[in-house]
Amino acid sequence: MSKATIKKVAAEADVSTATVSRVINDSGYVSPEVRERVFHAIAKLNYQPSAIARSLKQDKTFMIGIIVPDISNPYFMGISRGIEDIVGQDGFQLMFCSSDENSDKESRLLQLLYEKRVDAIVLATSGGNGETIHKLANSGQPIVLIDRKLEGQWDARPLDLVAEDNAQGAYLLTKQLLEDGHTRIGVVNGPARASTGRERYDGVRKAMKEHGLDRDPLLYNGDFSTEGGIRAVGQFLKEKSPPSAIISLNNKMSLGVLLELVNRGLRIPDDVAVASFGEVEAGNLLKHPGLYYIDQNPYDMGKKAGEILLKRIRKEEQACMVHIYRNEIKRIP
């Protein structure tokens, strides 16, 4: 059976294709009797309107592209859920992409989404694509940054941004450990090219300097992955004087830290204290009382990003919008 077309629907309903189009798009007057005939023909022929043709006519695809470093990270999925709950009310759907912390892949995904004519792009950048991002924005492509800022000179050219106060959160974690008496601290960080990595490390160093510690902490630069946290623990425990506390500046790396410490038979916090930027769901399951963490609010961030997206798509706002969230430190009881 051949695929139904708008011409076949028009013939079945004994109307013009223009009338069928008006009924489908609910534009212009069509009498109730004719409207009923068109709907009957659509149902009989199982006609499916072309989304591509509709998007060309309306100059909208009702698609929003989302590029994040890791789509398996619950933090980014929380943000995405918040976005979806806002933009979905206006009929927009999300197209998910993972850059895998790879700048080249991110660049290709940006171009792909642009060619797909998405109505807006949400980006948690892996770094290195400031020029490309600004070229797209200057061409009229709405772009909202989440979680991460652009690096270098591009940071001075504002785009819409929804992010956390990374430096403040890391500062609070470090200050708490220092107040608990820990001065030999290991820091598990992500790639330095990511703004989150740079800002959180700055927060650690600020707290240490205020405490009178001018030396740099033990540092492991990982890749914001569980495996990175596991490798960091292995490196720290090889030190002549291993750290008495570990700060992990990403929730997935924190999971790796916890798993490896448990695997090596170390008790938390008696043998090694742990602080995490972001809650680790397994922290409660592994029964780690005393685990400090920054309580992030990805769903609320996503809702705010969704509100900004709709304003941009509707062309309701001109000036760039920046929302920075300050999160609290908590402890598993």
Side-chain angles (χ1 to χ4, degrees), residues 12 29 32 40 84 118 123 128 153 164 188 212 219 226 237 281 305:
E12 179 69 26
Y29 175 77
H40 179 76
E84 186 175 45
V118 296
L123 173 65
Q153 61 175 317
E164 299 170 310
V188 189
L219 177 64
T226 301
L237 295 183
E281 295 178 357

Side-chain angles (χ1 to χ4, degrees), residues 113-282:
L113 292 178
Y114 182 70
E115 292 173 356
K116 293 288 185 182
R117 302 180 67 254
V118 296
D119 297 312
I121 296 174
V122 179
L123 173 65
T125 181
S126 299
N129 287 308
E131 182 176 5
T132 299
I133 293 165
H134 271 282
K135 281 183 178 179
L136 290 177
N138 292 337
S139 75
Q141 175 70 68
I143 297 178
V144 176
L145 301 176
I146 55 167
D147 184 55
R148 303 178 180 187
K149 302 174 183 177
L150 298 183
E151 74 289 349
Q153 61 175 317
W154 306 109
D155 189 30
R157 304 184 184 185
L159 289 174
D160 293 312
L161 170 69
V162 179
E164 299 170 310
D165 191 334
N166 291 293
Q168 176 68 7
Y171 169 84
L172 292 175
L173 287 176
T174 309
K175 184 172 181 286
Q176 184 63 63
L177 291 177
L178 291 168
E179 290 175 351
D180 287 351
H182 299 284
T183 57
R184 181 75 170 166
I185 296 175
V187 178
V188 189
N189 202 2
R193 67 176 180 274
S195 66
T196 46
R198 297 192 303 273
E199 292 170 358
R200 292 174 188 178
Y201 187 66
D202 287 344
V204 172
R205 292 293 296 120
K206 177 183 177 182
M208 293 183 69
K209 286 184 178 180
E210 287 185 1
H211 203 75
L213 299 174
D214 291 329
R215 66 178 183 274
D216 290 333
L218 294 172
L219 177 64
Y220 180 89
N221 280 318
D223 53 2
F224 291 134
S225 70
T226 301
E227 293 74 19
I230 292 172
R231 291 192 295 268
V233 171
Q235 175 177 302
F236 292 153
L237 295 183
K238 290 178 183 178
E239 294 286 333
K240 186 175 180 180
S241 298
S244 63
I246 295 175
I247 299 176
S248 175
L249 299 178
N250 163 272
N251 59 336
K252 291 198 75 173
M253 294 191 303
S254 300
L255 175 59
V257 168
L258 295 176
L259 291 173
E260 186 62 11
L261 289 174
V262 170
N263 185 53
R264 290 174 179 257
L266 296 173
R267 296 170 300 167
I268 302 168
D270 296 335
D271 296 322
V272 182
V274 178
S276 169
F277 202 109
E279 184 177 5
V280 184
E281 295 178 357

